[in-house]
Amino acid sequence: MQQRFIRNVAIIAHVDHGKTTLVDQLFKHSGMFRENQAVAERLMDSMDLERERGITITAKNGSYRYGDYWINIIDTPGHADFGGQVERVLRMADGALLLVDAQEGPMPQTYFVLKKALANRLPVIVVVNKIDKPAARCEWVVDQVFDLFVKLNAPDEILDFPVVYTSAKQGYALNDPAEAVVDGGSMAPVSEMIVKHIPAPAGSPDMPLQMQVGTIDYSPYLGRLGIGKVVNGTLAINQPVVVARRDGSIRPVRISKIFHFDRDQKIAVDRASTGEIVAIAGMEDVTVGVTFTDPDDPRPLPLIDIDPPTISMD
Ligand code: GDP
């Protein structure tokens, strides 16, 4: 996967504002690209196998293809967070989608994660969802979001956030809520905005490997999975690596299985290059924050700060 065609996007939303529906639609529409059909069919075999083995992922993490681009969606917990989970997840992202209900506007749970995203200096795209609702009030919602950014001291360039309007339920996205929906609509404006406003991941393929685990997933078949971004270098199956841990220890490990995401499925791959988000299996003691790195030049990434839980709006 070419680095310049990768986009790693965190999705931030209050519960019920439509995160699951939006991600499903993005995946569904990407599946309709004609050029992808052959690949999709080939993948079906392994996907069916994976389904049987129960390795379908449950979180809203996943990737989809948009033209030449691979868009990785990174789910963020929307609730007040205990133990730095949000920071760790946001480390994998190069930008964020802030999803807001077109009637309700931003809610307290949105505020918490947005604050972290801004602290990480991530560019933010605002997605006003559920514009099909009769009581939708898009302009008011965008004003409310703007006020929230001001309250959070967002820098000027971020205050000028791009906005896209969606009905995830009906499967369309618009750059202007007054536009007519043509031919049943498409989700392309969301993907266009991601490609345009969110940078490709930084990092160098020529540097020694650094892959940091940002989140843990479980699969009945594969066991414990470490999900993270290849920050520098390349990760390949059976390549000698060391794991650098919290206590400063460094230990050689063997990575036997690497998966990338294709929509909501995991697909086994032999290698992953700089900027890719992958899941690694076969290490039952993998924990969040560890770095997989080069035995000849080990470079553990700094651990992720853990903030005390925040529950207030101020
Ligand atoms: P999540 O909690 O953010 O993942 O939200 P869901 O995707 O589960 O959606 C919550 C509810 O809102 C469900 O009943 C969806 O059908 C509904 N919903 C999601 N998107 C839209 C939309 O664009 N329009 C309308 N009217 N309802 C929507």
Side-chain angles (χ1 to χ4, degrees):
M1 218 175 279
Q2 279 194 52
Q3 194 173 344
R4 69 193 164 104
F5 291 126
I6 300 174
R7 295 292 182 273
N8 295 323
V9 189
I11 182 159
I12 299 171
H14 186 80
V15 63
D16 267 355
H17 281 193
K19 184 156 68 170
T20 312
T21 314
L22 182 84
V23 173
D24 283 352
Q25 283 290 356
L26 290 169
F27 291 169
K28 190 171 141 198
H29 279 252
S30 78
M32 294 193 315
F33 279 107
R34 179 108 65 79
E35 64 207 316
N36 278 353
Q37 246 158 34
V39 178
E41 275 157 22
R42 240 189 303 128
L43 289 175
M44 277 309 286
D45 303 338
S46 62
M47 277 158 52
D48 287 346
L49 257 182
E50 289 192 358
R51 261 190 217 108
E52 257 168 49
R53 293 169 176 171
I55 46 179
T56 305
I57 53 171
T58 47
K60 286 134 220 154
N61 292 310
S63 306
Y64 68 98
R65 197 183 181 119
Y66 178 70
D68 290 334
Y69 293 87
W70 268 101
I71 299 179
N72 294 313
I73 302 282
I74 303 157
D75 195 18
T76 55
H79 51 80
D81 148 79
F82 296 89
Q85 208 183 343
V86 171
E87 277 89 347
R88 286 153 173 170
V89 165
L90 290 177
R91 274 258 186 123
M92 296 189 272
D94 301 299
L97 287 186
L98 177 69
L99 182 68
V100 185
D101 182 299
Q103 182 182 351
E104 284 188 4
M107 300 295 277
Q109 290 174 26
T110 327
Y111 174 92
F112 173 79
V113 185
L114 177 62
K115 189 170 157 185
K116 306 270 177 190
L118 293 177
N120 278 21
R121 301 176 181 281
L122 294 180
V124 179
I125 296 168
V126 174
V127 181
V128 178
N129 185 38
K130 308 200 188 186
I131 60 169
D132 59 283
K133 278 170 132 184
R137 39 180 178 169
C138 295
E139 232 174 276
W140 178 85
V141 167
V142 173
D143 285 348
Q144 294 289 306
V145 172
F146 183 83
D147 291 349
L148 196 60
F149 277 68
V150 171
K151 200 171 159 190
L152 288 168
N153 298 317
D156 285 352
E157 66 275 14
I158 291 186
L159 275 182
D160 199 18
F161 51 83
V163 187
V164 62
Y165 301 84
T166 60
S167 170
K169 195 174 177 176
Q170 296 178 6
Y172 64 83
L174 302 169
N175 289 308
D176 178 334
E179 260 172 59
V181 179
V182 182
D183 290 340
S186 94
M187 298 304 289
V190 176
S191 305
E192 281 297 329
M193 240 178 221
I194 291 172
V195 163
K196 186 168 162 206
H197 293 281
I198 294 178
S204 165
D206 303 324
M207 294 239 312
L209 167 70
Q210 289 174 304
M211 187 276 201
Q212 187 168 41
V213 174
T215 186
I216 298 289
D217 196 4
Y218 299 90
S219 137
Y221 177 69
L222 292 169
R224 202 172 155 93
L225 298 164
I227 298 177
K229 175 154 89 169
V230 180
V231 176
N232 284 300
T234 303
L235 179 68
I237 284 176
N238 294 332
Q239 146 198 9
V241 297
V242 290
V243 57
R245 291 183 176 281
R246 215 169 272 286
D247 59 7
S249 69
I250 286 194
R251 176 166 72 84
V253 292
R254 201 177 77 93
I255 292 176
S256 56
K257 292 197 182 87
I258 306 173
F259 294 89
H260 82 214
F261 298 92
D262 191 297
R263 284 169 270 179
D264 60 349
Q265 301 288 321
K266 291 187 188 74
I267 307 293
V269 291
D270 293 337
R271 58 198 297 114
S273 50
T274 306
E276 283 189 63
I277 290 178
V278 287
I280 52 182
M283 282 192 54
E284 280 310 303
D285 59 347
V286 65
T287 51
V288 164
V290 299
T291 308
F292 292 96
T293 181
D294 188 333
D296 297 330
D297 188 2
R299 299 183 186 202
L301 288 159
L303 290 173
I304 298 161
D305 292 339
I306 297 173
D307 277 3
T310 311
I311 38 175
S312 98
M313 281 282 287
D314 304 308

